[in-house]
Amino acid sequence: MESPDLLDGPGARRSFICASFNQDTTSLSVGTKTGYRLFSVTAVDKLDCIHEGVECSDVYIVERLFSSSLVVVVSLSMPQRMNVYHFKKGTEICNYSYSNNILSVRLNRQRLVVCLEESIYIHNIRDMKLLKTLLNTPINPTGLCALSINHSNSYLAYPGSATIGEITVYDANNLSTVTLIQAHDSPLAALTFNASGTKLASASEKGTVIRVFSIPEGQRMFEFRRGMKRYVSISSLSFSADTQFLCASSNTETVHIFKLEQHSPSQEEESPTWSTYVGKMFTAASTYLPAHVSDMMHQDRAFATVRLNMIGLKNICALATIQKLPRLLMASSDGYLYIYNVDPQDGGECVLVQKHRLFDSIEEQEEQKEEENPEDVPPQPASQSYAATVALSSTPPSSTTLFGYSEEGGAQRGEVIPEHEFAEGPVCLDDEDEFPPVGSQSN
């Protein structure tokens, strides 16, 4: 769940380039002109910056693997190269170069996927060996794709057409196509899997309808209408961890949260209401109406909404359980993280409970410098991030370039990322033997 174009808007003055939540929404990664930042989002009242990386500037892709120390970074200065770091040590694990600019990166505990405009590369994340290259994929200028975080299936979804909303679902474990889904009439704009990889949500460039399909069957399960009056640009889709809710953000002032629930006839009979009676009348009438009108009448509306005090700014949203309560998180290009309460019973309008600044203002930075370096005390060298400190006192990171467009590319002699890195739940990587630099590869 990433937005590589967050540079628009007032937040641009603070070098805000991109933002993404990790796979279980416990961490927020932000790319900047000077590097990248990783934040912990496990509490409402505080936002801890757990790392600031300065290994490269102008970072437009930054993805963290769950709560581990593995982070993938791509810079505007070298857009064809992907760097994989162990951020707690400040060391580079490896880097890969590709034939064209990298548009997106997705990862789970089994696979790392790199998407270019007309090709996709699938790596084994444990040793970074290139397993499969999907060449001549439909033109995908935004690098739209989604990877199931459930590594036991590792389903990959990407556009199957550049002109209509067709989805190709690919099994990244067995390296084979699973199904093709005719999802929308217009080209795709957003894709996301639920946590188990059993459901896939999609939206088109029109942005009016969001559909949910069963995986691997590809059958339509739900259809939600975001609006009818105008076309919008959907910037993010995200399921809750229990797949009970799905949120959608766009370039408008409203974030929609939909509830995934099947309406059983028995429930309607047990609790007859005026709305139920009217609904039955509409259902009966829809059989005599044109198909597009009938479809519209069967589409569910938003269960809950978030009203923003901004419009036109790029953002990404995610649903998370923080301190045992459901929340909606929104990282915006204005440089803030917003946290809203979600009522799982009654829905309605969500309440803003906290707003965190992702960057200090220029004025606050200047004041902080003055406090740290008063006039009567000689100025001290500027403090450096953990990564920069380690880099100065240890051997430089490996400069080996492994060419991703070679089917034989990858690590040599079975060098692997340790097994416990991919264990369920958070891990703390402190062992000096973890993440050895990947050996050189001649092509």
Side-chain angles (χ1 to χ4, degrees), residues 80-132:
Q80 297 181 7
R81 190 172 84 172
M82 173 186 70
N83 299 89
V84 183
Y85 294 109
H86 185 301
F87 73 80
K88 288 187 179 178
K89 294 182 180 179
T91 56
E92 182 183 78
I93 299 170
C94 66
N95 62 68
Y96 262 72
S97 290
Y98 301 85
S99 54
N100 287 299
N101 291 353
I102 300 169
L103 300 179
S104 64
V105 176
R106 301 287 182 264
L107 56 162
N108 62 26
R109 293 186 176 98
Q110 194 74 19
R111 296 289 181 258
L112 185 150
V113 175
V114 178
C115 184
L116 311 188
E117 188 170 12
E118 295 184 67
S119 57
I120 295 175
Y121 299 83
I122 302 174
H123 296 263
N124 179 12
I125 200 170
R126 297 169 187 266
D127 59 10
M128 289 307 299
K129 181 178 180 180
L130 181 64
L131 301 176
K132 185 69 176 180

Side-chain angles (χ1 to χ4, degrees), residues 160-178:
S161 170
T163 57
I164 62 172
E166 181 180 270
I167 306 171
T168 298
V169 180
Y170 189 86
D171 186 336
N173 281 349
N174 297 314
L175 306 178
S176 60
T177 300
V178 175

Side-chain angles (χ1 to χ4, degrees), residues 167-391:
I167 306 171
T168 298
V169 180
Y170 189 86
D171 186 336
N173 281 349
N174 297 314
L175 306 178
S176 60
T177 300
V178 175
T179 187
L180 298 177
I181 302 174
Q182 306 302 321
H184 304 271
D185 294 331
S186 303
L188 298 169
L191 293 168
T192 191
F193 284 100
N194 67 337
S196 63
T198 57
K199 292 181 177 66
L200 173 66
S202 66
S204 74
E205 290 182 351
K206 288 184 178 180
T208 54
V209 175
I210 295 164
R211 296 188 171 107
V212 178
F213 302 89
S214 65
I215 300 298
E217 301 83 7
Q219 299 297 315
R220 185 191 302 182
M221 300 181 67
F222 300 94
E223 188 167 82
F224 303 107
R225 177 159 290 276
R226 195 212 55 81
M228 292 184 290
K229 296 181 179 179
R230 53 181 172 174
Y231 294 162
V232 302
S233 176
I234 299 292
S235 55
S236 67
L237 291 174
S238 176
F239 284 98
S240 59
D242 60 4
T243 316
Q244 188 177 3
F245 300 101
L246 171 69
C247 71
S249 67
S250 66
N251 59 342
T252 69
E253 69 282 2
T254 306
V255 177
H256 295 80
I257 301 175
F258 305 98
K259 191 171 186 178
L260 283 70
E261 57 181 352
Q262 300 286 358
H263 303 288
S264 63
S266 59
Q267 290 177 335
E268 294 180 355
E269 292 174 2
E270 290 174 2
S271 56
T273 62
W274 173 251
S275 61
T276 300
Y277 174 72
V278 173
K280 289 182 177 179
M281 290 182 60
F282 271 106
T283 300
S286 67
T287 58
Y288 303 98
L289 297 172
H292 69 280
V293 178
S294 177
D295 288 344
M296 193 178 301
M297 293 171 64
H298 285 88
Q299 292 162 352
D300 290 329
R301 301 303 192 268
F303 170 76
T305 56
V306 170
R307 302 292 179 183
L308 309 176
N309 59 357
M310 64 192 81
I311 186 171
L313 296 183
K314 295 183 182 297
N315 60 69
I316 58 167
C317 288
L319 293 166
T321 299
I322 301 178
Q323 295 169 317
K324 299 182 180 181
L325 294 175
R327 323 276 188 174
L328 182 133
L329 310 179
M330 186 189 75
S332 171
S333 61
D334 66 356
Y336 285 89
L337 172 69
Y338 298 85
I339 302 178
Y340 296 84
N341 278 349
V342 180
D343 186 335
Q345 300 299 324
D346 300 324
E349 189 161 343
C350 301
V351 178
L352 177 66
V353 292
Q354 195 58 257
K355 174 182 175 182
H356 295 290
R357 180 179 288 162
L358 298 173
F359 305 97
D360 295 331
S361 67
I362 296 175
E363 293 79 8
E364 286 178 344
Q365 285 186 338
E366 291 177 350
E367 290 177 1
Q368 185 175 1
K369 288 181 180 179
E370 290 177 359
E371 291 175 0
E372 293 175 352
N373 301 308
E375 294 181 359
D376 56 343
V377 177
Q380 300 295 321
S383 61
Q384 299 196 26
S385 70
Y386 178 86
T389 304
V390 173

